């Protein structure tokens, strides 16, 4: 995510990102004059861009383009785009252009030292944060507002696409990354399914590399989190398992099938919520077929298992994506057991997967 994602022009945004990185390097190297010049340039650039997007009757585009930074800061404060505190701090960069000319710098005794440079870099961060907040309010929904809406209005799923379309990229990304964590830490009950739907809508607008990075966190969940947390997170990212390396995908499926064969009704309800059809799409090689087959037979031999009806319901969804040969092999082996339970199972399976 770029902190300049509210900037309207991609090329311009990339230039600002470059200048901010250079500013940080200059501060670390002790090049304080360069820091002041770059910070003033960055602030002037983002104010000009902002005003050109949101022009008002008082200031024409030509007037904005001709205005010095000091004037732009005054306009921003007058329109409550930045706080009075920020306006006061901005004195360190108001006349940054004077530093470009040594003669003017000498004559006007402009102060160039480390404290001023540190204040200037902090000012850039403050200015970016304040303008992004204003831009978000003018442009559309904020992440926290969408979350609040879902919690108080269970029927709002019909406008998810509209809400997401009215969000700036940084707010979309914030919402995408925060939803699974919110659902993990809070008892949401009926709201959970709405958050899953919303997460899916946002995923359609998020760069693939971001989705991949978030999906890869499943590795850490498998190592360090509880089953409840793993299942909660997996519900949001099960459809993105194709973005994982084969080894990592195998680990997730092995864990999932392990719980499938021994889980009680509540565990199976959590697995079913992940959409068994999606799970079936990833059973695409001999190792994963073996994992599924073993889960089925272990479940078949469990005594007094609670939730076999849910297990078979999950199996129905998974089977949709299996080849006929694999389905037939599994069915034949179940029939081979010749127990009352196996006969009941094969009868149920034949209803959704006939020979």
């Amino acid at each position: 995510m770029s902190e300049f994602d509210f900037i309207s022009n991609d090329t311009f945004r990339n230039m600002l990102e470059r200048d901010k990185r250079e500013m940080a390097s200059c501060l670390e190297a002790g090049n304080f004059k360069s820091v002041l010049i770059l910070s003033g340039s960055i602030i002037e650039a983002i104010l000009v861009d902002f005003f050109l997007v949101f022009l008002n009757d008082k200031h024409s585009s030509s007037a904005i383009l001709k205005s010095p930074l000091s004037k732009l800061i005054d306009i921003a404060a007058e329109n409550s785009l930045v706080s009075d505190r920020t306006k006061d701090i901005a004195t360190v960069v108001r006349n940054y252009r004077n530093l470009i000319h040594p003669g003017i710098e000498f004559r006007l005794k402009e102060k160039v030292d480390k404290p001023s440079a540190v204040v200037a870099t902090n000012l850039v961060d403050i200015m970016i944060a304040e303008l992004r907040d204003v831009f978000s309010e003018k442009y559309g929904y904020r992440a926290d507002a969408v979350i609040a809406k879902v919690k108080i209005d269970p029927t709002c799923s019909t406008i998810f696409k509209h809400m997401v379309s009215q969000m700036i990229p940084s707010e979309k990304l914030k919402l995408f990354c925060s939803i699974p964590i919110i659902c993990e830490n809070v008892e949401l009950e009926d709201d959970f399914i709405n958050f899953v739907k919303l997460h899916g809508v946002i995923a359609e607008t998020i760069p693939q590399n971001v989705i991949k990075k978030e999906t890869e966190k499943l590795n850490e969940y498998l190592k360090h989190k509880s089953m409840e947390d793993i299942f909660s997170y997996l519900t949001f990212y099960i459809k993105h398992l194709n973005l994982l390396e084969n080894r990592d995908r195998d680990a997730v499926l092995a864990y999932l099938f392990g719980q499938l064969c021994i889980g009680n009704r509540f565990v199976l309800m959590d697995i079913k919520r992940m959409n068994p059809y999606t799970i079936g799409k990833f059973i695409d090689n001999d190792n994963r077929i073996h994992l599924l087959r073993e889960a089925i037979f272990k479940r078949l031999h469990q005594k007094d298992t609670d939730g076999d009806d849910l297990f078979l319901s999950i199996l129905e969804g998974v089977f949709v994506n299996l080849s006929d040969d694999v389905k037939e092999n599994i069915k034949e082996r179940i029939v081979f057991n010749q127990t009352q339970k196996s006969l009941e199972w094969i009868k149920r399976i034949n209803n959704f997967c006939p020979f």
Side-chain angles (χ1 to χ4, degrees):
M1 177 182 69
S2 169
E3 59 189 327
F4 292 104
D5 51 15
F6 60 96
I7 296 297
S8 57
N9 183 277
D10 290 343
T11 303
F12 191 27
R13 185 187 314 116
N14 292 334
M15 290 169 59
L16 288 170
E17 290 170 349
R18 177 204 64 198
D19 287 353
K20 192 165 186 290
R21 287 193 298 271
E22 185 175 336
M23 181 184 70
S25 298
C26 288
L27 180 62
E28 187 175 348
N31 300 323
F32 304 133
K33 179 174 178 178
S34 296
V35 170
L36 290 169
I37 291 173
L38 283 166
S39 60
S41 174
I42 292 169
I43 292 170
E44 181 175 312
I46 61 177
L47 285 174
V48 167
D49 181 83
F50 192 93
F51 291 142
L52 291 180
V53 173
F54 298 109
L55 285 173
N56 58 42
D57 297 335
K58 283 186 176 181
H59 308 286
S60 65
S61 58
S62 59
I64 291 297
L65 291 170
K66 293 176 182 176
S67 296
L69 177 57
S70 56
K71 178 63 175 176
L72 294 173
I73 292 171
D74 288 341
I75 295 173
E78 289 168 9
N79 290 275
S80 300
L81 303 180
V82 298
S83 65
D84 290 338
R85 181 197 66 164
T86 301
K87 176 184 175 182
D88 293 339
I89 296 173
T91 54
V92 296
V93 296
R94 277 178 176 267
N95 301 313
Y96 80 97
R97 289 184 181 274
N98 292 340
L99 300 176
I100 299 173
H101 308 286
I104 299 178
E105 177 190 347
F106 176 76
R107 242 185 0 261
L108 298 179
K109 296 182 173 55
E110 296 289 353
K111 197 168 187 179
V112 179
D113 54 17
K114 183 175 181 179
S116 298
V118 171
V119 170
T121 56
N122 290 335
L123 176 64
V124 171
D125 289 333
I126 293 169
M127 192 75 76
I128 291 170
E130 291 186 354
L131 287 175
R132 183 197 281 127
D133 285 345
V134 174
F135 187 91
S136 178
E137 290 173 6
K138 287 178 175 289
Y139 191 80
Y141 291 95
R142 293 174 59 99
D144 53 359
V146 176
I147 290 169
K149 174 66 174 175
V150 173
K151 288 181 178 180
I152 65 172
D153 182 5
T155 67
C156 69
S157 60
T158 55
I159 60 169
F160 281 167
K161 287 191 176 181
H162 168 73
M163 288 193 291
V164 171
S165 70
Q166 297 300 308
M167 299 176 74
I168 62 173
S170 62
E171 292 298 309
K172 288 181 187 178
L173 184 55
K174 185 191 300 182
L175 186 59
F176 182 78
C177 295
S178 62
I179 284 176
I181 308 304
I182 291 170
C183 291
E184 177 183 321
N185 295 331
V186 180
E187 190 66 38
L188 295 171
E189 298 179 354
D190 295 338
D191 294 336
F192 189 92
I193 191 63
N194 268 344
F195 277 115
V196 173
K197 289 179 181 177
L198 176 59
H199 200 256
V201 171
I202 304 170
E204 297 174 3
T205 70
I206 296 292
Q208 198 77 343
N209 65 308
V210 173
I211 299 175
K212 183 175 186 293
K213 182 179 179 182
E214 293 302 304
T215 306
E216 287 172 343
K217 291 180 181 178
L218 280 167
N219 295 322
E220 292 304 309
Y221 271 74
L222 288 179
K223 294 175 185 175
H224 305 298
K225 296 279 191 172
S226 67
M227 183 191 70
E228 289 78 9
D229 289 345
I230 292 170
F231 276 9
S232 177
Y233 198 80
L234 188 54
T235 303
F236 292 97
Y237 291 101
I238 185 78
K239 66 178 69 172
H240 303 299
L241 290 187
N242 59 299
L243 300 178
L244 297 179
E245 298 293 330
N246 278 328
R247 179 185 61 185
D248 296 332
R249 198 180 315 151
D250 284 343
V252 172
L253 291 172
Y255 182 85
L256 187 59
F257 290 149
Q259 299 300 327
L260 185 64
C261 70
I262 62 172
N264 60 25
R265 177 171 295 276
F266 297 105
V267 172
L268 294 175
M269 286 174 64
D270 284 341
I271 294 175
K272 188 170 183 181
R273 191 165 55 183
M274 296 176 199
N275 189 346
Y277 173 82
T278 300
I279 298 170
K281 289 197 301 184
F282 298 110
I283 305 172
D284 53 4
N285 62 35
D286 290 342
N287 179 56
R288 293 167 194 162
I289 292 170
H290 174 74
L291 288 173
L292 173 64
R293 193 160 48 220
E294 288 302 301
I296 292 171
F297 295 133
K298 285 180 181 178
R299 183 87 192 185
L300 183 61
H301 289 97
Q302 293 283 330
K303 291 183 178 180
D304 301 322
T305 48
D306 175 33
D308 281 347
D309 55 331
L310 271 172
F311 176 84
L312 290 169
S313 177
I314 292 168
L315 206 60
E316 178 178 358
V318 171
F319 267 39
V320 172
N321 285 291
L322 300 182
S323 70
D324 290 340
D325 289 345
V326 173
K327 294 177 195 174
E328 187 170 341
N329 178 271
I330 292 174
K331 289 170 63 177
E332 286 175 350
R333 292 191 61 183
I334 292 175
V335 171
F336 184 76
N337 270 274
Q338 289 297 317
T339 63
Q340 181 63 35
K341 187 175 180 180
S342 66
L343 293 174
E344 291 173 358
W345 275 28
I346 203 65
K347 182 179 179 180
R348 171 73 178 270
I349 290 172
N350 279 331
N351 289 332
F352 62 77
C353 183
F355 283 109

